[in-house]
Amino acid sequence: MPLLQLIEKACSKYADRCAIVDQGGVRRTTYAELMSQAQHVAAYIQRQNLVPQSFVCLHMPLCMEFLATEVGIWMSGHIVVPVGDNYPASRIQKIQTHCDARLTMGMEQYRQAQQQLGTPLMQRGENALLIYTSGSTGTPKGILHDFDSLLNAFHLYEEFSPTDKDLFAYGAPIYFIAQLQYFLFVYGTEVHMLDAAITHDVEALARYYTDHRITMTTISPSVLAMFHNTDSCLRCVWTGSENVVGLGPQDFRLYNLYGCTETGGPMCYAEIKAPSDHPSAGKPVGGVEYRIIDGEICFKGHFCQGYFRDEERTAELYRDGWLHTGDMGVMDKDGFLYIKGRSKTMILGPSGQNIYPEEIESILNNMPFVIESLVIEDQDKLVALIYPDFQQVEEAGITSDQLVEKLNEAMSLANLQLPQYCKLSSVELFPEEFEK
């Protein structure tokens, strides 16, 4: 069943139940309210007289209004282009120019839409979502998905049997493909949208899960390494996107998910039953084919349309009918995948050694004041870009200069655990989360 139809069906079936909880667990929005607000948005957009399948930038923080507006854009027959509310103006302008966006929906436009009357004429487009990603540097690249490719993630979610008895909590930025997890409400599951103040504070996160009796959630490996569960209701935790070495379950079942923006989210999963130095990424679901080609993990199925307005990069992504993930991996005799590192990020050492940045990043990510890191090569030296835990910094009362000192200490500790050819030369602060 198409995603938009799943949303409409859920909003009808569970009309009076709570669909979305946000604002720190205070505000509750029912399915009927969510659909009504989405319809107002759709009617507002249709009055703008855009050509069919126009790109509409969605510039909002993580909140219920974002989801209502996203659904409204789809109902009006257009394509969602999410941009982070913390994006610099120059990046937003690049995205708007590249996709020739004809409209930007922010909180002000949303409020205008809710104040106007009108019933939208339901229109269904083929393409649904244009996600821009560029890692830490460079010109943003747009990955275009139609509605069918977005269903890939839902084939995986269904493996975990979400129901109308579940409460799911998550806090990923809305400009990641992981935002699809917020649509778990199509199963009747109550979805809690968590802000950064909660997701980056493991004690606050544990309290939230307990106070709101959360049953399902996603936790990044770097946070999970410090997390201690206090919620007997928590039955299922998803993790991934970073190295999950050494992580194990607590009083819940823990699963490693694997996928990428190009596949439309996670394609594979494996249960982590005990800490391991070589955790598996599992097998694909939903009839997706997979194989290792020249050491690279490749999939065959219905995925993204490619990189928008970039035929050369799209041709590199799809070769001989296979989507090349850029991840190096191996497959065991039972068909389980194991990820070795990124082929495109692999760095050649001074004597020809293969350096996988993920191995260094997994060490840094467990250091104090570090949420996540990205190791790059700069003039034949290894440099760590670090996105700090600004809330922890504030609570510790340390200055910017002291933070730099702490991160240099973290680099020194990491270097003690690394071979000579893998040692870091410097660290640099990065102001926002890295795009997954």
Side-chain angles (χ1 to χ4, degrees), residues 289 293 298-303 315 317-324:
E289 297 181 55
I293 301 176
C298 299
F299 294 115
K300 182 178 286 187
H302 187 97
F303 305 119
L317 175 68
Y318 286 109
R319 284 171 271 158
D320 298 322
W322 291 90
L323 183 148
H324 288 248

Side-chain angles (χ1 to χ4, degrees), residues 103-117:
L103 176 66
T104 295
M105 291 293 296
M107 294 300 290
E108 179 57 34
Q109 290 78 13
Y110 176 87
R111 284 188 285 267
Q112 292 176 17
Q114 301 309 311
Q115 294 169 0
Q116 298 177 7
L117 300 177

Side-chain angles (χ1 to χ4, degrees), residues 378-412:
D378 185 14
Q379 297 181 348
D380 297 325
K381 294 182 179 180
L382 296 181
V383 177
L385 306 180
I386 292 181
Y387 173 56
D389 187 334
F390 290 110
Q391 182 176 346
Q392 187 181 10
V393 170
E394 183 179 352
E395 291 174 350
I398 64 176
T399 65
S400 298
D401 290 340
Q402 290 172 324
L403 174 60
V404 172
E405 290 179 8
K406 296 288 185 183
L407 296 181
N408 278 313
E409 291 173 7
M411 179 186 71
S412 299

Side-chain angles (χ1 to χ4, degrees), residues 349-399:
S351 299
Q353 308 97 330
N354 291 338
I355 301 173
Y356 291 104
E358 294 84 357
E359 296 177 356
I360 306 173
E361 292 159 6
S362 67
I363 297 173
L364 290 172
N365 291 345
N366 287 315
M367 298 288 184
F369 305 106
V370 179
I371 288 183
E372 58 180 344
S373 59
L374 182 69
V375 174
I376 62 173
E377 184 180 24
D378 185 14
Q379 297 181 348
D380 297 325
K381 294 182 179 180
L382 296 181
V383 177
L385 306 180
I386 292 181
Y387 173 56
D389 187 334
F390 290 110
Q391 182 176 346
Q392 187 181 10
V393 170
E394 183 179 352
E395 291 174 350
I398 64 176
T399 65

Side-chain angles (χ1 to χ4, degrees), residues 249 252-256 269-274 280 282:
F252 48 75
R253 302 185 78 167
L254 178 63
Y255 297 91
N256 183 24
Y269 76 94
E271 184 173 4
I272 302 175
K273 296 184 178 181
S280 173

Side-chain angles (χ1 to χ4, degrees), residues 1-10 74 124-126 128 146-152 154-155 158 183 186-187:
M1 184 180 294
L3 177 56
L4 192 52
Q5 191 173 342
L6 284 173
I7 294 170
E8 293 168 345
K9 181 179 179 180
W74 288 338
R124 304 185 188 278
E126 176 184 353
D146 62 20
F147 280 102
D148 289 339
S149 64
L150 294 186
L151 286 177
N152 287 328
F154 289 86
H155 293 313
E158 288 168 359
F183 288 94
V186 300
Y187 302 108

Side-chain angles (χ1 to χ4, degrees), residues 51 69 92 95 193 203 244 254 267 276 279 287 299 354 379 384-385:
V51 299
T69 304
I92 295 174
I95 291 174
M193 306 178 82
E203 293 183 359
V244 296
L254 178 63
M267 292 291 96
S276 169
F299 294 115
N354 291 338
Q379 297 181 348
L385 306 180

